[in-house]
Amino acid sequence: MVWAFAVIAVATLYLALRFKRFQSWVEPVLTITVAIGLAAAALIWLTDSRSVVPEPVVPRNMIAPEEIVLSDMQFAVGQPVTSYRVTGTITNNSTATLQSMLLTITLANCPGGACVPVGTDSGLVVVRVLPGQSKPFTTFAVFTGSDLLQITDPEWTWTVSDVRALPRSVPAQ
């Protein structure tokens, strides 16, 4: 916005130098331009310096990871072979509606009981599950480098974290 006042001032000075009749207008035009610029700067400064009262944050309903139960977990090799399609059922045992969660999956190769870790991947699962209900879900896990190993006896472990609930609605005041 400052550049607009600078353009007006430069244009006024140019016109005063170029045309003799305009020289009598130079002082009033520049005075008005500077006055408007100072008023605008003061207005902007006053509006910016006013303390902003943040809107009240509505706390989210809390859901503990222990209140989310995963069952019927299945892992299918995808394309490329380092990718696995993960399906299962989410049961929400909390009193709040589930919005999303972070699912961390670990793959190990356990031939003959001797487990060798292959990798870990985390994925955001976005699914809305009402309290006390279950819903199927699908996500994908990628284990880079797993194509270099012959996985004969896979063992899967998973954890749920960063569980998010839908925010409560705020009653009208």
Side-chain angles (χ1 to χ4, degrees):
M1 182 152 177
V2 172
W3 62 267
F5 295 108
V7 168
I8 292 172
V10 168
T12 304
L13 290 173
Y14 171 76
L15 291 172
L17 292 173
R18 182 91 169 133
F19 304 106
K20 282 274 192 208
R21 290 181 17 202
F22 196 73
Q23 287 180 354
S24 62
W25 288 74
V26 172
E27 186 179 350
V29 170
L30 286 180
T31 304
I32 291 171
T33 303
V34 169
I36 291 173
L38 288 174
L43 182 65
I44 291 171
W45 178 74
L46 285 173
T47 352
D48 283 348
S49 66
R50 206 180 301 162
S51 64
V52 177
V53 178
E55 290 188 25
V57 176
V58 179
R60 293 181 177 259
N61 297 337
M62 298 300 293
I63 299 178
E66 299 79 36
E67 295 177 302
I68 303 300
V69 177
L70 301 179
S71 58
D72 303 327
M73 297 289 283
Q74 296 179 0
F75 303 88
V77 177
Q79 284 295 338
V81 294
T82 58
S83 169
Y84 289 85
R85 181 174 187 208
V86 182
T87 58
T89 303
I90 298 175
T91 303
N92 181 2
N93 292 329
S94 73
T95 58
T97 301
L98 173 67
Q99 179 179 357
S100 65
M101 66 177 193
L102 187 67
L103 179 62
T104 303
I105 302 168
T106 303
L107 169 62
N109 189 23
C110 299
C115 292
V116 176
V118 175
T120 301
D121 190 22
S122 296
L124 180 66
V125 177
V126 179
V127 61
R128 202 171 273 188
V129 183
L130 296 173
Q133 293 192 359
S134 299
K135 210 172 209 182
F137 77 94
T138 301
T139 190
F140 291 89
V142 178
F143 302 99
T144 55
S146 63
D147 56 340
L148 303 175
L149 304 170
Q150 173 114 15
I151 299 176
T152 56
D153 193 10
E155 183 177 302
W156 303 93
T157 56
W158 57 85
T159 58
V160 174
S161 62
D162 197 20
V163 181
R164 304 278 173 123
L166 283 178
R168 284 185 236 178
S169 59
V170 178
Q173 297 177 357

